[in-house]
Coordinates of all heavy atoms in Angstrom, one line a residue:
Chain A
Y5 N 70.5 94.5 29.2 CA 70.2 95.6 30.0 C 69.9 95.3 31.5 O 69.3 94.2 31.7 CB 69.0 96.4 29.4 CG 69.4 97.1 28.1 CD1 69.1 96.7 26.9 CD2 70.1 98.3 28.2 CE1 69.4 97.3 25.7 CE2 70.5 99.0 27.1 CZ 70.1 98.5 25.8 OH 70.5 99.2 24.7
W22 N 77.7 103.3 32.9 CA 78.5 104.4 33.4 C 78.6 104.2 35.0 O 77.6 103.7 35.6 CB 77.8 105.7 33.1 CG 77.7 106.0 31.7 CD1 78.6 106.8 31.0 CD2 76.7 105.6 30.8 NE1 78.2 106.9 29.7 CE2 77.0 106.2 29.5 CE3 75.5 104.9 30.9 CZ2 76.3 106.0 28.4 CZ3 74.8 104.7 29.7 CH2 75.1 105.2 28.5
R38 N 75.1 102.4 36.2 CA 73.8 102.7 35.6 C 74.0 102.4 34.1 O 75.0 102.7 33.5 CB 73.4 104.1 35.9 CG 74.2 105.2 35.3 CD 73.6 106.6 35.3 NE 74.3 107.4 34.4 CZ 74.1 107.6 33.1 NH1 73.2 106.9 32.6 NH2 74.9 108.3 32.4
E67 N 80.7 108.7 36.3 CA 80.3 108.8 34.9 C 81.3 108.3 33.9 O 81.1 108.4 32.7 CB 79.8 110.2 34.5 CG 78.5 110.6 35.1 CD 77.4 109.7 34.7 OE1 77.3 109.4 33.5 OE2 76.5 109.4 35.5
S69 N 82.6 105.6 31.5 CA 81.9 104.6 30.8 C 82.8 103.3 30.8 O 84.0 103.4 30.7 CB 81.6 105.0 29.3 OG 82.8 105.6 28.7
H119 N 71.7 118.7 29.9 CA 72.1 117.5 29.1 C 72.8 116.5 30.0 O 72.9 115.3 29.6 CB 73.0 117.9 28.0 CG 74.2 118.8 28.4 ND1 74.0 120.1 28.8 CD2 75.5 118.5 28.5 CE1 75.2 120.6 29.2 NE2 76.1 119.6 29.0
R123 N 70.8 112.6 33.7 CA 71.2 111.3 34.1 C 70.9 111.0 35.6 O 71.0 109.8 36.0 CB 72.8 111.2 33.9 CG 73.2 111.4 32.5 CD 74.7 111.4 32.4 NE 75.2 111.7 31.0 CZ 76.4 111.7 30.6 NH1 77.4 111.3 31.5 NH2 76.7 112.0 29.4
R132 N 60.9 109.2 32.6 CA 60.2 107.9 32.3 C 58.7 108.0 32.6 O 57.9 107.3 31.9 CB 60.9 106.8 33.1 CG 62.3 106.4 32.6 CD 63.0 105.4 33.5 NE 63.1 104.1 32.9 CZ 63.9 103.7 32.0 NH1 64.8 104.6 31.4 NH2 64.0 102.5 31.5
R134 N 57.0 110.8 32.2 CA 56.5 111.5 31.0 C 56.3 110.6 29.8 O 55.3 110.6 29.2 CB 57.6 112.6 30.6 CG 57.2 113.4 29.4 CD 58.3 114.3 28.9 NE 58.0 114.9 27.6 CZ 57.4 116.0 27.4 NH1 57.1 116.8 28.5 NH2 57.2 116.5 26.2
H135 N 57.3 109.7 29.6 CA 57.1 108.7 28.5 C 55.8 107.9 28.7 O 55.1 107.7 27.8 CB 58.3 107.8 28.5 CG 58.2 106.6 27.6 ND1 58.6 106.6 26.3 CD2 57.7 105.4 27.8 CE1 58.4 105.4 25.8 NE2 57.9 104.7 26.7
R142 N 48.2 108.2 24.0 CA 48.0 107.7 22.7 C 47.2 106.4 22.7 O 46.3 106.2 21.9 CB 49.3 107.4 22.0 CG 50.0 108.7 21.7 CD 51.2 108.6 20.8 NE 51.8 109.9 20.6 CZ 51.6 110.6 19.5 NH1 50.8 110.2 18.5 NH2 52.2 111.8 19.4
L152 N 44.8 110.0 14.7 CA 45.8 111.1 14.9 C 45.7 112.1 13.8 O 45.8 111.7 12.6 CB 47.2 110.5 15.0 CG 48.3 111.6 15.1 CD1 48.3 112.4 16.4 CD2 49.7 110.9 14.9
D154 N 47.7 115.4 12.8 CA 48.7 116.4 13.1 C 48.3 117.7 12.5 O 48.2 117.8 11.3 CB 50.1 115.9 12.5 CG 50.6 114.7 13.3 OD1 50.8 114.8 14.5 OD2 50.9 113.7 12.6
I157 N 52.3 123.3 12.6 CA 53.0 124.1 13.6 C 53.1 125.6 13.1 O 52.9 126.5 13.8 CB 54.4 123.6 13.9 CG1 54.4 122.1 14.2 CG2 55.1 124.3 15.0 CD1 53.5 121.6 15.3
I158 N 53.4 125.7 11.8 CA 53.5 127.1 11.2 C 52.2 127.4 10.7 O 51.6 126.7 9.9 CB 54.6 127.1 10.1 CG1 56.0 126.7 10.7 CG2 54.7 128.4 9.5 CD1 57.1 126.7 9.6
E171 N 56.8 134.7 15.9 CA 56.6 135.1 14.5 C 57.8 134.7 13.7 O 59.0 134.7 14.2 CB 56.5 136.6 14.5 CG 56.1 137.2 13.2 CD 56.0 138.8 13.3 OE1 55.0 139.3 13.9 OE2 57.0 139.4 12.9
T172 N 57.6 134.3 12.5 CA 58.7 134.0 11.6 C 58.4 134.5 10.2 O 57.2 134.6 9.8 CB 59.1 132.5 11.6 OG1 60.4 132.3 10.9 CG2 58.1 131.7 11.0
Y174 N 58.0 133.9 6.3 CA 57.7 132.7 5.5 C 57.8 133.0 4.0 O 56.9 133.3 3.3 CB 56.3 132.1 5.8 CG 56.1 130.7 5.4 CD1 56.5 129.7 6.2 CD2 55.6 130.4 4.2 CE1 56.4 128.3 5.9 CE2 55.4 129.0 3.8 CZ 55.9 128.0 4.6 OH 55.7 126.7 4.2
M195 N 35.3 116.3 11.4 CA 34.3 116.3 10.4 C 34.6 115.2 9.3 O 33.8 114.8 8.5 CB 34.1 117.6 9.7 CG 33.7 118.7 10.7 SD 32.2 118.4 11.6 CE 32.8 118.8 13.3
H197 N 36.9 112.4 10.0 CA 37.1 111.1 10.6 C 36.2 110.8 11.8 O 36.4 109.7 12.4 CB 38.6 110.9 11.0 CG 39.5 110.9 9.8 ND1 39.9 109.7 9.3 CD2 40.1 111.9 9.1 CE1 40.7 110.0 8.2 NE2 40.9 111.3 8.1
T219 N 57.4 128.3 27.4 CA 57.0 128.9 26.2 C 56.7 127.9 25.1 O 56.1 128.2 24.1 CB 58.1 129.8 25.7 OG1 59.3 129.1 25.6 CG2 58.4 131.0 26.7
E220 N 57.2 126.7 25.3 CA 57.1 125.6 24.4 C 56.6 124.4 25.2 O 57.2 123.9 26.1 CB 58.4 125.2 23.7 CG 58.4 124.1 22.8 CD 59.8 123.8 22.3 OE1 60.5 124.7 21.8 OE2 60.3 122.6 22.3
D387 N 33.7 127.2 6.8 CA 33.3 126.2 5.8 C 32.8 124.9 6.6 O 31.9 124.2 6.1 CB 34.5 125.7 4.9 CG 34.6 126.6 3.7 OD1 33.7 127.5 3.5 OD2 35.6 126.4 2.9
Y391 N 29.2 123.4 5.4 CA 29.1 122.1 4.7 C 28.9 121.0 5.8 O 29.9 120.4 6.2 CB 30.3 121.8 3.8 CG 30.5 122.9 2.8 CD1 31.5 123.8 2.9 CD2 29.5 123.1 1.8 CE1 31.7 124.8 2.0 CE2 29.7 124.2 0.8 CZ 30.8 125.0 1.0 OH 31.0 126.0 0.1
G392 N 27.7 120.8 6.2 CA 27.4 119.7 7.1 C 27.8 119.9 8.5 O 28.5 119.1 9.2
S393 N 27.4 121.1 9.1 CA 27.8 121.3 10.5 C 27.1 120.3 11.4 O 26.0 119.9 11.2 CB 27.3 122.8 10.8 OG 27.8 123.2 12.1
R424 N 61.9 125.3 27.7 CA 62.1 126.7 27.1 C 61.2 127.6 27.9 O 60.0 127.5 28.0 CB 61.6 126.7 25.6 CG 62.5 125.8 24.7 CD 63.9 126.4 24.6 NE 64.8 125.6 23.8 CZ 65.9 125.0 24.3 NH1 66.1 124.9 25.6 NH2 66.7 124.3 23.5
M425 N 61.9 128.6 28.5 CA 61.2 129.7 29.3 C 61.6 131.0 28.8 O 62.6 131.1 28.0 CB 61.5 129.4 30.8 CG 60.8 128.2 31.3 SD 61.5 127.6 32.9 CE 63.0 126.9 32.4
Chain I
W22 N 27.2 112.1 7.5 CA 27.1 113.1 6.4 C 26.7 112.3 5.1 O 27.1 111.2 4.9 CB 28.4 113.8 6.2 CG 28.8 114.7 7.3 CD1 28.6 116.0 7.5 CD2 29.6 114.2 8.5 NE1 29.2 116.4 8.7 CE2 29.8 115.4 9.3 CE3 30.2 113.0 8.9 CZ2 30.5 115.3 10.5 CZ3 30.9 113.0 10.1 CH2 31.0 114.1 10.9
R38 N 28.5 108.7 5.3 CA 29.8 108.4 5.9 C 29.8 109.0 7.3 O 29.1 110.0 7.5 CB 30.9 109.1 5.0 CG 30.8 110.6 5.0 CD 32.1 111.3 4.4 NE 32.0 112.7 4.7 CZ 32.5 113.3 5.9 NH1 33.1 112.5 6.8 NH2 32.3 114.5 6.1
E67 N 27.1 116.2 1.7 CA 27.8 116.6 2.9 C 26.7 117.2 3.9 O 27.1 117.7 5.0 CB 28.9 117.6 2.7 CG 30.2 116.9 2.2 CD 30.7 115.9 3.1 OE1 30.7 116.1 4.3 OE2 31.1 114.8 2.6
S69 N 24.6 117.1 7.0 CA 24.7 116.2 8.2 C 23.3 115.7 8.7 O 22.3 116.5 8.6 CB 25.3 117.1 9.3 OG 24.7 118.3 9.5
H119 N 40.8 121.5 4.1 CA 39.9 121.2 5.3 C 38.7 120.4 4.9 O 38.1 119.8 5.8 CB 39.5 122.5 6.0 CG 38.9 123.5 5.1 ND1 39.7 124.2 4.1 CD2 37.7 124.0 5.0 CE1 38.9 125.0 3.5 NE2 37.7 124.9 4.0
R123 N 37.9 114.9 3.6 CA 36.7 114.0 3.7 C 36.6 113.0 2.6 O 35.9 112.0 2.7 CB 35.4 114.8 3.8 CG 35.4 115.9 4.9 CD 34.1 116.7 4.8 NE 34.1 117.8 5.8 CZ 33.0 118.6 6.0 NH1 31.9 118.5 5.3 NH2 33.1 119.5 6.9
R132 N 44.5 107.7 7.4 CA 44.4 106.6 8.3 C 45.7 105.7 8.2 O 46.1 105.1 9.2 CB 43.2 105.7 8.0 CG 41.9 106.4 8.5 CD 40.7 105.7 8.0 NE 39.9 105.0 9.1 CZ 39.2 105.6 9.9 NH1 39.0 106.9 9.9 NH2 38.5 104.9 10.9
R134 N 48.6 107.0 7.6 CA 49.6 107.8 8.3 C 49.5 107.5 9.8 O 50.5 107.3 10.5 CB 49.3 109.3 8.1 CG 50.2 110.2 8.9 CD 49.8 111.7 8.8 NE 50.6 112.5 9.7 CZ 51.7 113.2 9.4 NH1 52.2 113.1 8.2 NH2 52.3 113.9 10.3
H135 N 48.3 107.5 10.3 CA 48.0 107.2 11.7 C 48.6 105.8 12.1 O 49.3 105.7 13.1 CB 46.5 107.2 12.0 CG 46.1 106.6 13.3 ND1 45.9 107.4 14.4 CD2 45.8 105.4 13.7 CE1 45.5 106.7 15.4 NE2 45.5 105.5 15.0
R142 N 55.8 104.1 17.2 CA 55.9 104.2 18.6 C 55.9 102.8 19.3 O 56.7 102.6 20.2 CB 54.8 105.1 19.2 CG 54.9 106.5 18.7 CD 53.9 107.4 19.4 NE 54.1 108.8 19.0 CZ 54.8 109.7 19.6 NH1 55.4 109.4 20.7 NH2 55.0 110.9 19.1
D146 N 58.6 101.6 21.8 CA 58.1 101.3 23.2 C 58.3 99.9 23.6 O 58.7 99.5 24.7 CB 56.7 101.7 23.3 CG 56.4 103.2 23.2 OD1 57.4 103.9 23.2 OD2 55.3 103.6 23.1
L152 N 60.9 107.8 25.1 CA 60.6 109.0 24.3 C 61.3 110.2 24.9 O 61.2 110.5 26.1 CB 59.1 109.3 24.2 CG 58.7 110.6 23.5 CD1 59.0 110.6 22.0 CD2 57.2 110.9 23.8
D154 N 61.5 114.0 24.0 CA 61.1 115.2 23.2 C 62.2 116.2 23.1 O 62.6 116.7 24.2 CB 59.8 115.8 23.7 CG 58.6 114.9 23.5 OD1 58.4 114.5 22.3 OD2 57.9 114.6 24.5
I157 N 61.8 122.4 20.1 CA 61.6 122.8 18.7 C 62.3 124.2 18.5 O 62.9 124.4 17.5 CB 60.0 123.1 18.5 CG1 59.2 121.8 18.9 CG2 59.7 123.5 17.1 CD1 59.5 120.6 18.2
I158 N 62.2 125.0 19.5 CA 62.9 126.3 19.4 C 64.3 126.1 20.0 O 64.5 125.6 21.1 CB 62.2 127.4 20.3 CG1 60.8 127.5 19.8 CG2 63.0 128.7 20.3 CD1 60.0 128.6 20.6
E171 N 63.6 131.5 11.5 CA 64.1 132.3 12.6 C 63.0 133.0 13.3 O 62.0 133.4 12.7 CB 65.0 133.3 11.9 CG 65.8 134.2 12.9 CD 66.7 135.2 12.1 OE1 67.7 134.8 11.5 OE2 66.3 136.4 12.0
T172 N 63.1 133.2 14.6 CA 62.2 134.0 15.4 C 62.9 134.7 16.5 O 64.0 134.3 16.9 CB 61.1 133.0 16.0 OG1 60.0 133.8 16.5 CG2 61.6 132.1 17.0
Y174 N 63.4 135.8 20.3 CA 63.2 135.1 21.5 C 63.4 136.0 22.7 O 64.5 136.0 23.3 CB 64.0 133.8 21.6 CG 63.5 132.9 22.7 CD1 62.5 131.9 22.3 CD2 63.9 132.9 24.0 CE1 61.9 131.1 23.3 CE2 63.4 132.0 24.9 CZ 62.4 131.1 24.6 OH 61.9 130.3 25.5
M195 N 72.6 108.9 26.5 CA 73.6 108.7 27.6 C 72.9 108.6 29.0 O 73.5 108.2 29.9 CB 74.6 109.9 27.6 CG 75.3 110.1 26.3 SD 76.3 108.6 25.8 CE 75.8 108.5 24.1
H197 N 69.4 107.4 29.2 CA 68.4 106.3 29.3 C 68.9 105.1 28.4 O 68.1 104.2 28.3 CB 67.1 106.8 28.8 CG 66.4 107.8 29.7 ND1 65.5 107.4 30.7 CD2 66.5 109.1 29.8 CE1 65.1 108.5 31.3 NE2 65.7 109.5 30.9
K199 N 68.7 104.0 25.5 CA 68.1 104.0 24.1 C 66.9 104.8 24.2 O 66.0 104.6 25.0 CB 67.8 102.6 23.7 CG 67.2 101.7 24.7 CD 67.2 100.2 24.4 CE 66.7 99.5 25.6 NZ 66.4 98.1 25.4
T219 N 58.2 122.0 4.0 CA 59.0 122.9 4.9 C 58.8 122.5 6.4 O 59.6 122.8 7.2 CB 58.6 124.4 4.8 OG1 57.2 124.5 5.1 CG2 58.9 124.9 3.4
E220 N 57.7 121.7 6.6 CA 57.4 121.3 8.0 C 57.1 119.8 7.9 O 56.2 119.4 7.1 CB 56.2 122.0 8.5 CG 55.7 121.6 9.9 CD 54.4 122.4 10.3 OE1 54.4 123.6 10.1 OE2 53.5 121.7 10.7
D387 N 80.3 118.0 26.0 CA 80.2 117.4 27.4 C 79.9 115.9 27.3 O 80.3 115.1 28.2 CB 79.1 118.1 28.2 CG 79.6 119.4 28.9 OD1 80.9 119.6 28.8 OD2 78.8 120.1 29.5
Y391 N 82.3 113.5 29.6 CA 81.8 112.7 30.7 C 81.2 111.4 30.3 O 80.0 111.2 30.1 CB 80.8 113.5 31.5 CG 81.3 114.9 31.9 CD1 80.9 116.1 31.2 CD2 82.3 115.0 32.8 CE1 81.4 117.3 31.6 CE2 82.9 116.3 33.1 CZ 82.4 117.4 32.5 OH 82.9 118.6 32.8
G392 N 82.1 110.4 30.1 CA 81.6 109.0 29.9 C 81.2 108.8 28.5 O 80.1 108.2 28.2
S393 N 82.0 109.2 27.5 CA 81.7 108.9 26.1 C 81.6 107.4 25.8 O 82.4 106.7 26.3 CB 82.8 109.6 25.2 OG 82.4 109.6 23.9
R424 N 52.8 122.2 4.5 CA 53.4 123.5 4.4 C 54.5 123.4 3.3 O 55.4 122.6 3.5 CB 54.0 123.9 5.7 CG 52.9 124.2 6.8 CD 52.1 125.4 6.4 NE 51.0 125.6 7.4 CZ 49.7 125.5 7.1 NH1 49.3 125.0 5.9 NH2 48.8 125.8 8.0
M425 N 54.4 124.2 2.3 CA 55.5 124.3 1.3 C 55.8 125.7 1.0 O 55.2 126.6 1.6 CB 54.9 123.6 0.0 CG 54.7 122.1 0.2 SD 53.6 121.3 -1.0 CE 52.0 121.8 -0.4

Side-chain angles (χ1 to χ4, degrees):
Chain A
Y5 286 103
W22 297 265
R38 66 166 193 88
E67 286 302 319
S69 49
H119 52 289
R123 303 177 184 183
R132 285 174 109 78
R134 176 188 172 92
H135 170 91
R142 294 190 179 262
L152 172 68
D154 291 305
I157 309 301
I158 300 179
E171 187 181 281
T172 190
Y174 198 83
M195 301 304 132
H197 291 269
T219 57
E220 176 183 314
D387 274 356
Y391 305 108
S393 191
R424 294 295 177 249
M425 291 163 285
Chain I
W22 297 266
R38 64 166 194 89
E67 286 302 318
S69 49
H119 52 290
R123 303 178 184 182
R132 284 173 110 78
R134 177 188 172 92
H135 170 91
R142 293 190 179 264
D146 291 352
L152 172 68
D154 290 306
I157 308 300
I158 300 179
E171 186 181 284
T172 189
Y174 198 85
M195 301 303 131
H197 291 269
K199 42 192 173 174
T219 58
E220 176 182 314
D387 274 354
Y391 305 108
S393 191
R424 294 296 178 248
M425 290 163 284

